[in-house]
Structure formats: structure tokens, C-alpha cells
Amino acid sequence: MAEPETSAKIIDGKAYAERLRAQVGRDVAQLKADYKLQPGLAVVLVGEDPASQIYVRSKGEHSLAAGMHSVTHRLPADVAQAELLRLIGDLNTDPAIHGILVQLPLPKGLDERQVLAAINPDKDVDGLHVVNAGRLASGLPALTPCTPAGCMILLRETLGDLTGLRAVVVGRSVLVGRPIAQLLLQADCTVTIAHSRTRDLAAVCREADILVAAVGRPRMIRGDWIKPGAAVIDVGINRVPFDDPVKAAAGKTKVVGDVDFKEASRVAGWITPVPGGVGLMTVAVLLQNTVTAARRLAGID
Ligand code: GUN
């Protein structure tokens, strides 16, 4: 009998993201009805990176669809740092804005740390300000980075209680690796953060009941790196040429994750596809964070 193509169950990020966005839409309607409060999100895009343009458009469209006030500020790649900081200062004091997100990466020449530090931590719906990162690491309530929070929703929906599970996070970025390790720790997992200098990365990954891949290297995690039955969360969004040489020669590209999906799905118990997995959760959590920020800023429980 032919071997089945896939044994892992697919974690349907699209469905969970739709559900969360619908919930946010109801929360927004309630805030409007009860408090005349319309959560407002400002997204700042500097430069013309094609992927960032797509993400930013999606954030604007979904925030409007949820009933929020939404503004997108587009600045040229050669904008002066001082001008960007001035815009953030204006958004910090704008009463119609409860959430501010500066799309990363910023073009060369801009100081990312200084920009993130300029955002009012109470409006930092990206959870990247050191105050929110510190609160998260201290186990205090914080605005939490969107992609990691989205991964945690998928894991809890899939596995339920995560207590005692061994989690391996591959990648130590401020955006994903570090905060998701903190969230897994809060969920009582035993957490390892692996990275480019980790010795025998494959063996470390094979210990994982939960494997989170956030390295930004296409299909780096192979099938034989995965413990049979593990839950695999693939955060990678990498653009690569098509396998088909004719399409590749025509310059066509497709998006793949950090995990070799074909191999991994024969071994894992659950796996997120790319696209259609984690990526869609990021925007949904951003909307949820904006509602949370609006409530807190207005002093509503
Ligand atoms: N670029 C890719 N993902 C993100 C994100 O979650 N937040 C920001 N600010 N930039 C990103």
C-alpha cells in the first residue's frame, strides 16, 4: 500500500484567525455601544519593502473590517530619524489612537531600538518596547508580541494544557524567539532556546514535544529532526524559487516555512502549514492587542 502523504494533523491558522477576528469585531462593537470608544490603530511603514507593504495593507484592512479606526502612515526610506520620532510622538498623544505599530525591518540608517523605545508602552500593541518585554519576562501583564501570542493560541487550541511539555524554540529574535520562549515558560513548559550556535541542533529538536521554528531559513528543519507525534509551529515566511525548473527560470517564487513541510508532516502529530498557519494569527492578535490597549487606556476593566 502506498505510504500516506501526510500523517500529521494540520493546524488551521486561517480558521482560528477568522474566529479571533470575529471575536475582536464583537468586542469593538461592545466598546462602541457601552463606552462610545472606538479602538484606533496606527501603522507606520517606512520605505517600500514589498513584503512589508503586503503585511501593512492587511493590517489596515482587517482593523477596518473589525470596526476600528485605522490609519497608515507611509514614509520614504530616506526619512530622517527625527521626523519618524516626531510622528511617533504625535501618535503617542493622539487620543483617537490606542495602538501604534512600526513595521519592521526599518530601512538601513534608521535606529530601530530608538524608534521602538519612543512608542508609549501603553500603546505598544507589538509588545516590542523594553517595558513590555521586561514585563513579559517578569511574568507581569504585558502587551505581548503578536506572532508569539498567536502561536500560543494555536498550541492551546491543539494540545490543551501544555504543562510539563518539552518545548524547543529555534531562533532567538526579539520579535519571535525570545517572547515565545517566555510564553511557553509561563505555560509551564520546559523550554530550550536553540540558535545558530547550538551544537547538534537536530538532536536538540528531536527532544521537543513542541517545536517552534523561527529562524528565517527556508526548510531548514528536516523530518528526522522531529520527535514522532510532536506539535510543529512553523513561523518562517521565506520566498524561494519554485521547485519546477520551468517556473523557477521564469523568476516565479513561492512562500515556504523554516520547516521542510513534506518531510515533517510524515513524522509530526500536528503541524502549521506555510502559508495558512501562523502568519494569519499575527494580524488577529494585533487587533486583539489594540482592543486591550484601548480598554486599559480608557480605564475599562
Ligand atoms: N515584521 C514582521 N513581523 C512583524 C511584527 O510582528 N511586527 C512588526 N512591527 N514588524 C514585523
Side-chain angles (χ1 to χ4, degrees):
M1 206 170 78
E3 204 187 331
E5 243 328 275
T6 298
S7 65
K9 294 195 188 76
I10 302 295
I11 302 174
D12 186 353
K14 186 164 182 267
Y16 289 117
E18 273 169 13
R19 213 201 288 170
L20 181 54
R21 289 200 310 268
Q23 179 59 52
V24 170
R26 288 192 291 274
D27 292 345
V28 170
Q30 187 103 43
L31 283 174
K32 282 183 186 165
D34 293 352
Y35 300 95
K36 296 194 173 14
L37 173 63
Q38 184 182 31
L41 173 67
V43 177
V44 180
L45 172 63
V46 186
E48 307 206 329
D49 178 71
S52 292
Q53 286 184 351
I54 294 170
Y55 300 145
V56 164
R57 195 177 323 126
S58 164
K59 286 166 185 173
E61 285 170 2
H62 283 302
S63 51
L64 284 176
M68 293 183 181
H69 171 56
S70 170
V71 285
T72 302
H73 293 269
R74 292 185 166 79
L75 301 175
D78 62 355
V79 69
Q81 177 89 2
E83 195 177 326
L84 178 54
L85 293 177
R86 203 160 33 241
L87 171 61
I88 292 170
D90 290 347
L91 295 171
N92 280 341
T93 54
D94 184 341
I97 296 298
H98 308 94
I100 302 169
L101 179 143
V102 178
Q103 186 68 24
L104 302 177
L106 288 173
K108 282 201 179 62
L110 292 169
D111 181 345
E112 207 160 278
R113 274 177 206 240
Q114 194 186 34
V115 168
L116 294 176
I119 297 171
N120 174 355
D122 294 334
K123 294 191 177 186
D124 170 37
V125 284
D126 229 3
L128 298 179
H129 192 287
V130 287
V131 166
N132 282 313
R135 291 180 70 88
L136 178 64
S138 305
L140 295 169
L143 286 165
T144 306
C146 305
T147 303
C151 293
M152 292 304 293
I153 293 171
L154 296 181
L155 283 169
R156 285 190 207 279
E157 292 281 351
T158 306
L159 302 179
D161 184 9
L162 308 181
T163 302
L165 296 180
R166 299 202 61 129
V168 174
V169 178
V170 188
R172 53 179 158 177
S173 69
V174 168
L175 208 55
V176 182
R178 287 169 200 248
I180 199 170
Q182 295 294 343
L183 291 169
L184 288 161
L185 190 59
Q186 269 182 24
D188 297 323
C189 293
T190 302
V191 184
T192 301
I193 305 179
H195 47 77
S196 55
R197 300 291 181 90
T198 298
R199 276 192 223 149
D200 201 353
L201 182 56
V204 173
C205 290
R206 268 194 294 272
E207 290 184 2
D209 303 306
I210 296 169
L211 182 61
V212 180
V215 264
R217 297 187 50 187
R219 300 181 182 128
M220 188 183 95
I221 311 270
R222 308 299 302 265
D224 62 357
W225 295 24
I226 292 164
K227 180 176 175 176
V232 176
I233 304 291
D234 189 351
V235 182
I237 301 178
N238 310 290
R239 205 155 261 291
V240 298
F242 264 92
D243 300 329
D244 175 346
V246 177
K247 286 185 179 167
K252 293 199 173 166
T253 58
K254 62 176 180 173
V255 171
V256 300
D258 292 347
V259 176
D260 186 316
F261 182 84
K262 205 166 171 190
E263 290 183 8
S265 57
R266 294 197 185 110
V267 187
W270 295 269
I271 189 165
T272 58
V274 178
V278 170
L280 299 162
M281 291 300 289
T282 301
V283 179
V285 173
L286 173 67
L287 305 184
Q288 189 183 43
N289 279 354
T290 305
V291 168
T292 301
R295 276 208 186 103
R296 287 189 188 151
L297 285 160
I300 300 164
D301 249 348

